Amino acid sequence: MFSVNTVAPASTALRNPRRRQRDGSEDSVAVRQLSKRLKRSGLSAETFQPPSTRTTNGYLHSGTRPVANGIAKPGDIHSGLSEHRRGSAASLGSNREPDKGRVKSAGDGSIELTKNDVYSVTRLATTPVPLQQHQSFETWRGTFAPSIGYAISTTHRQALVWRYRQACNARESSKPFVIRLLHVTEDPDQPLPLGFLVPSSPEPGLLIVMPTSGEVTYWEALSCAASVDLGRQKQQAVHGIVAGLSHGEQITSIMEAEPQGFLLTISSGKVAHMTVSEPQGKAGISSQLLRSSGAQSGGIFGSLRNVFGGSAWLKDLAAVRAGSSLRRGQRQCALGTTKGLLQFWELNWNGAHLMTYEVDAKSKLLESIRDTGSFPRDSDSQVFKILDFAFLPPVVKGQEVTSSNSKSVTRLLVLTSISSPSESRYNLHVLDIVDDTVEVPVVHPVSCYTTPISSDASSKPQLLVPEPCQTAYIILDKCIILVSLEEIPESPSSQLQAECLKVLDPFQDVIDFRKDKGYNIVGCAADPPEKGKLDSGCTIMVQGYGVVRVTVASLQSNVTLADRAAVTAEAKLEQAVFYGSQPGLLDFSGRSEVPFANEEVQDAALRISRSITASSSKYLPGAGPSMEQQLQRRAIALADLIKHLRKHYQPLDRVTSWKLLWEAEKMAASIALWRIYETVPKNVPEKQKVLLDEMVECLNEDEKVENQPDRHETDRVRHWLTHDVWRLEYLIPWTSATITLLHTESVEDRRPMSLAYHARLISEANDIQLTVMKTAYKFRQENALLYGVDDDNMSEGLLSTGYGGIPEIWTSTELICDTIQKLAVQFQNYAIELDEHGSDDEDNEPSPKLFEKIAKENTHVVDLSCKAHIERSRWLQSSRDPSMQAQGHDLERESVGFRRELLKGLVDVGQFLPAIRLGEKYHDLDALAEVLEAEIESSQEELNASYKTPEDIEETKAKISICEEHRDKYFDRYGDAWADAFFSRFVAQNRIATLLDLGKKHPQYLTTFLRMRPELSTFTWIHQVASERDYTAAADNLRSAQEQAHNIWAKKTQLSISKLALMATGTVEQVADSTTSARIQEIDNSMEILAAQDQVHQIMRFSLVRALNDTAVKTEILMKEYGLRFVKHKPMLRSALEQHMAQLVEERALDTEDLIDAITLLDETAWSNKYLDEKHLDEKSTDLVLSFAARRFQIALKLLRLATFETGEVARKELVEKIVWRRCIIQDNWPKINRTELKGDAEVEKETAKTALFKTLKEGFKTGTYHTDWLYIIAMLEDVLTSSTGFFDDHPPPDPSTLLSIGTSIESLRTSSRYNNVPDSTLSSLAHDLEVEDQVLQHSIEEGRLDQWWLGIVDAARLSARKDADLAGEER
């Protein structure tokens, strides 16, 4: 087993190794036999035609070309390759088109999994079906041959070979070739066979290595391996075994080291060099372990020394990579351990090998990590490893070789990790090696990925650096890491960023696979460069999914490295939105190593949302045959956006959530709008328009993207739906406006719009508005939870509260609210016009079906109008701006009136029941009451029409019955609220009789309604007497009614009926309570007060016999007669008297205190004999005037005692009483009366008896107002009051001196509650007028000795009253 020379099969041994090789162009037997084999296997010579440029693992095979990705580009190393074989390949290559390499997904059937400005990921269409089966339990191992565009995947039993780089229209078939393996293992736990496609002409060879046994099978041509004849398949194979493989060891990988030479990595750390051709050019397998000594010894002892001696046995081997071709027939390769040891070997075509040098790079690598500042603080507890490395060209763009040594420089890119159980830090090091000197000029920390490598990973990390060596691909088992190797050049902006500690690292990103599907990478290779392109890429084979290509785009001329250095939230969101919804390989959830600020995410989300609705996203097609599909695709993208945001990012703020929701609403509404537009007939008559088309045309330039006719953009509607969906709120207002505009144009053109055309436009307008708005509200309601808005507070798309802080809502802008209302009114007016005028031409009128459609739709338009107004008023009221809040309240009030008129209009167009339902929906009970009663009244009028048939009459009666049922039902449903709305309508129309009649069916609701309205107490008593028989309540309501009444007659009438009601409480079923008598007495008092005012009014009428019926004129006449002397120089009192006179003229009831003022402020001279003579009054009228003149102050005092004051208003009453007594006293000239010299007693008594004071006292004693017992007066003067039961006994005539200073100051007036709300300025003026009265009293006391006359006058008045009483008794 240790022999390096393997035994060839019989078919190979029979050949003459020295026979002349036939030229490929000859018509030889070999060629004919090859043709037969191709025919049997279904292959052709063109199937294996190699590309014109030969590559291996992504690099051209040229003699001294730099290396990359650990795979050299060898020249003509294999000297045994005959010239005629190369000629054969050239001749075959001239018969076909050059290999086109990768083709865009649009052309080759591949699927684009993701794409951004930097890279794209594509699933190739050439993937065999078995590899795509995710549920398959069979595992695969894959290998690519990029130089020929083929791939191989092996299982325990078979191998699949197919061409993975191929255009779908190529002549060769992409059907995979299933090849049986000659060495099959039944143990599923055994490692999978290693397969490799050997580049060869005219077709590739196939190499199969069994990892455990080391058995090798090689077919020079794939067609031989694909033979269906098992015997022939075995016969045409070359067999061998790997030398140096011990028990328990396994071959883990194959690395191509030259065109037909390979490096085999063994699990124990050994590395074997194997070739598949002999120096003479014939096929043959030989292998040997790499040893530090170049000598080889034969025999068994030599073999033992090979194993246990100087073989390259590196137990911690990390990677083996083939390097560049040093010279003809020689190849460099490198071995690296996880601990940092690197060995460099020279391989010879004849199997010889030599280790040239080895270096330990660990210290340099650790030092470079420390210099970057990314070395972990707890480095002692973490493990350093080299994971993989790759050869680089000596010079990479932007990086200079640091060594000045003229010796050759080997440049590697090394992938390292420093790991802990929870985190790993990865770095890419550029390593320059000259002999045993190591330098690290550049380090690229991998910041986008820190997940430790799992112990159960299906494959080791691999590093690929495809040409032009600007991007490194780190291939892990479940993800791919892209790291840019280009350094951002210094610039003024980069220097400024460095000062701000914001230096941008080159681009890095992670392409994650879904963890829930068990996808694993089972093979990978760098892609060869395409001619004329600087893109780099790699191809990977994913278990259960297929072959995937990752391509990094070259830098465009208008983009800098700094521009695409950072991975933005917008780019990540775009990938998730436009590719994440596909059930497939990639995971777009994002990584914690690359966090984004919430503000950045929200701004990016809004930009993406706008790019979708405006079709400005590069991921969306600009046009397509199906407009609906295009709109649906954009709607799905918006849904994917919010789902991704909600699942993987922090909660959005309210404004962002609402804006995203609104954009999605508009998209959903636009889809529905397009569906409606497609149903509109486009073959309209000449001179008529399709409404939506005209609406788009009418939009202002700043409200849409103008279509470009020079670019053949002629479809306005499609163009608008493509670019302007996000401005849908600008289109809706043009529904009604466009109809108006077309109507105006028709009038101007003297071609009046027909009623049928007008109806069609209204119908289309209804369709547009209803479709857009209802779809938007429905979408909002159904998706509120998804977008994170307050769905619990939402009904039919409207929030009850919570509009604060969000922008204006597009569904309720001022223009939209106005437009929807106008459209509703427009049809209602149209229906009235059609009903009133009509047309003589039936073709000019709309069809009954169309009219019925529009009438039914009008209900929904009214509903939308109500919703839009409610939404806008709530939004305005939630603002912090007081002016907007006021607008909201105004709009709320106005919208109630709008709604009522629209509901009435619905009834006019025959939509009574829908109007009722809308009234119920918006709880507009006032509108319901109005609609119901209007319908009942109109129906009752129809019953009286003579043209009605019996059927019509029955139908009308049924309609009335339905209305009455609704009316009665609402009492049970809404209770007092409905009663208030229903009964208020009759009150407003002054239909009290109808109100009382309808209230008989629901007396309890009418009672509550009337009681809650004191202003209706005038009529409430009728209901209480007639329906409830509640006389006490009726009396109370009448008393309340008279308090609200202003007319004297009305007050007297109501008080009289109230008294009758109280008196009736003793009748059947009524029991008079203990307060009835007191209530009757109060009514009598009120009646007496009214009688006094009536007496004053009667006296005033004597002065107005010939006056014009004008209040101002009559008031002026009365003021000239009664307001010249006493109120002179008293402006406040004069103004008050003038107001009282005006009320008396209008027969309006005066307040008791106002009436007292009016009586006491009149001039005494108005009742002189001269005045009476001028009036020419009869005896009765004269007696009436003189009686009032003598008793007016006593009447005023009596009115004061009859008046009702609240508890605690004693001071108020006392103030009025003292002012009355003061005015009574100062009516006469007491200083003149006091001068009694040369006067007899009779004359003095006569003068005293003429005074107002004497008359008032006498009248009081005469009527029992004051005590007539002199002892009482003496007791009063001595402050010894006896108890009395009379009402007036507590109010004896006051001493004049006690009347001084009453009401002469603001403080004095404030003691009365009457002046609580009067300003100080007004009270100051009133106090000044009262002070004038007080000065006159003071003068009367001082100059007229009134305080000394007082008792004598009181006694004289008492005696005079008694004398009159005695005379009256004698006469009786």
Side-chain angles (χ1 to χ4, degrees), residues 226 328 387 403 504 629 670 722-723 879 1053 1103 1117 1184 1217 1249 1264:
R328 187 179 181 85
L387 302 177
S403 175
L504 292 174
Q629 288 183 3
S670 298
T722 301
H723 300 286
S879 172
T1053 302
S1103 302
I1117 294 173
L1184 178 64
E1217 184 179 14

Side-chain angles (χ1 to χ4, degrees), residues 791-809:
D791 61 310
D792 293 336
N793 196 24
M794 182 179 290
S795 175
E796 294 189 2
L798 299 184
L799 290 177
S800 57
T801 57
Y803 283 108
I806 65 175
E808 185 179 28
I809 308 167

Side-chain angles (χ1 to χ4, degrees), residues 361-396:
K362 180 177 180 179
S363 60
K364 288 289 186 180
L365 293 172
L366 290 174
E367 182 181 353
S368 66
I369 295 175
R370 291 189 182 95
D371 292 341
T372 63
S374 61
F375 199 88
R377 295 181 181 178
D378 55 340
S379 57
D380 295 337
S381 62
Q382 302 197 22
V383 180
F384 169 82
K385 283 185 179 181
I386 288 181
L387 302 177
D388 198 5
F389 63 89
F391 280 93
L392 288 179
V395 178
V396 179

Side-chain angles (χ1 to χ4, degrees), residues 900 924-931 933 937 967 971 975-996 998-999 1005-1016 1019:
R900 195 164 301 165
D924 194 339
L925 303 184
D926 293 328
L928 282 174
E930 191 166 353
V931 168
E933 285 308 305
E937 291 170 5
R967 182 184 65 193
F971 280 102
D976 291 332
W978 168 248
D980 180 75
F982 181 67
F983 294 142
S984 295
R985 170 174 167 78
F986 298 100
V987 174
Q989 297 175 346
N990 202 24
R991 297 167 59 190
I992 305 302
T994 306
L995 168 66
L996 297 175
L998 290 174
Y1005 290 109
L1006 181 58
T1007 300
T1008 304
F1009 172 78
L1010 294 174
R1011 285 177 178 174
M1012 294 297 292
R1013 283 164 178 73
E1015 69 275 11
L1016 300 180
F1019 315 104

Side-chain angles (χ1 to χ4, degrees), residues 9 26 115 156 228 307 422 432 554 575 622 625 705 767 811 872 950 1046 1068 1126 1240 1260 1287 1291:
E26 297 180 5
K115 183 180 181 181
H156 287 295
V228 297
V307 176
S422 61
D432 288 339
S554 60
Q575 287 179 281
V705 175
D767 292 339
T811 49
R872 181 163 185 80
H1046 300 290
V1068 180
F1126 191 78
F1287 177 76
H1291 303 277

Side-chain angles (χ1 to χ4, degrees), residues 289-484:
L289 299 177
L290 296 184
R291 301 184 306 277
S292 58
S293 173
Q296 302 181 32
S297 302
I300 186 171
F301 297 103
S303 299
L304 289 173
R305 281 195 299 271
N306 292 339
V307 176
F308 301 108
S311 63
W313 194 340
L314 304 174
K315 293 184 178 181
D316 56 349
L317 188 64
V320 177
R321 292 290 179 262
S324 62
S325 177
L326 301 176
R327 58 185 65 87
R328 187 179 181 85
Q330 290 186 351
R331 170 70 64 84
Q332 183 188 37
C333 73
L335 283 65
T337 67
T338 59
K339 295 182 179 180
L341 183 65
L342 297 172
Q343 291 184 353
F344 294 88
W345 294 72
E346 288 184 4
L347 306 179
N348 198 285
W349 64 273
N350 60 4
H353 52 264
L354 175 66
M355 188 179 73
T356 56
Y357 58 90
E358 69 177 18
V359 294
D360 189 350
K362 180 177 180 179
S363 60
K364 288 289 186 180
L365 293 172
L366 290 174
E367 182 181 353
S368 66
I369 295 175
R370 291 189 182 95
D371 292 341
T372 63
S374 61
F375 199 88
R377 295 181 181 178
D378 55 340
S379 57
D380 295 337
S381 62
Q382 302 197 22
V383 180
F384 169 82
K385 283 185 179 181
I386 288 181
L387 302 177
D388 198 5
F389 63 89
F391 280 93
L392 288 179
V395 178
V396 179
K397 182 179 180 181
Q399 303 172 4
E400 297 296 333
V401 177
T402 58
S403 175
S404 60
N405 197 326
S406 60
K407 296 182 179 181
S408 61
V409 177
T410 301
R411 171 161 283 189
L412 302 178
L413 183 66
V414 181
L415 171 64
T416 67
S417 71
I418 300 181
S419 303
S420 69
S422 61
E423 182 183 28
S424 292
R425 300 292 182 90
Y426 301 94
N427 293 274
L428 289 173
H429 309 257
V430 176
L431 208 65
D432 288 339
I433 304 172
V434 182
D435 293 337
D436 58 352
T437 303
V438 179
E439 295 182 10
V440 184
V442 180
V443 180
H444 299 279
V446 179
S447 59
C448 62
Y449 189 88
T450 60
T451 304
I453 297 173
S454 175
S455 59
D456 58 351
S458 61
S459 61
K460 288 184 177 182
Q462 298 185 63
L463 178 62
L464 302 178
V465 189
E467 289 191 17
C469 303
Q470 296 173 354
T471 304
Y473 296 72
I474 302 173
I475 312 297
L476 304 179
D477 64 332
K478 293 184 182 298
C479 71
I480 303 170
I481 306 173
L482 305 179
V483 181
S484 175

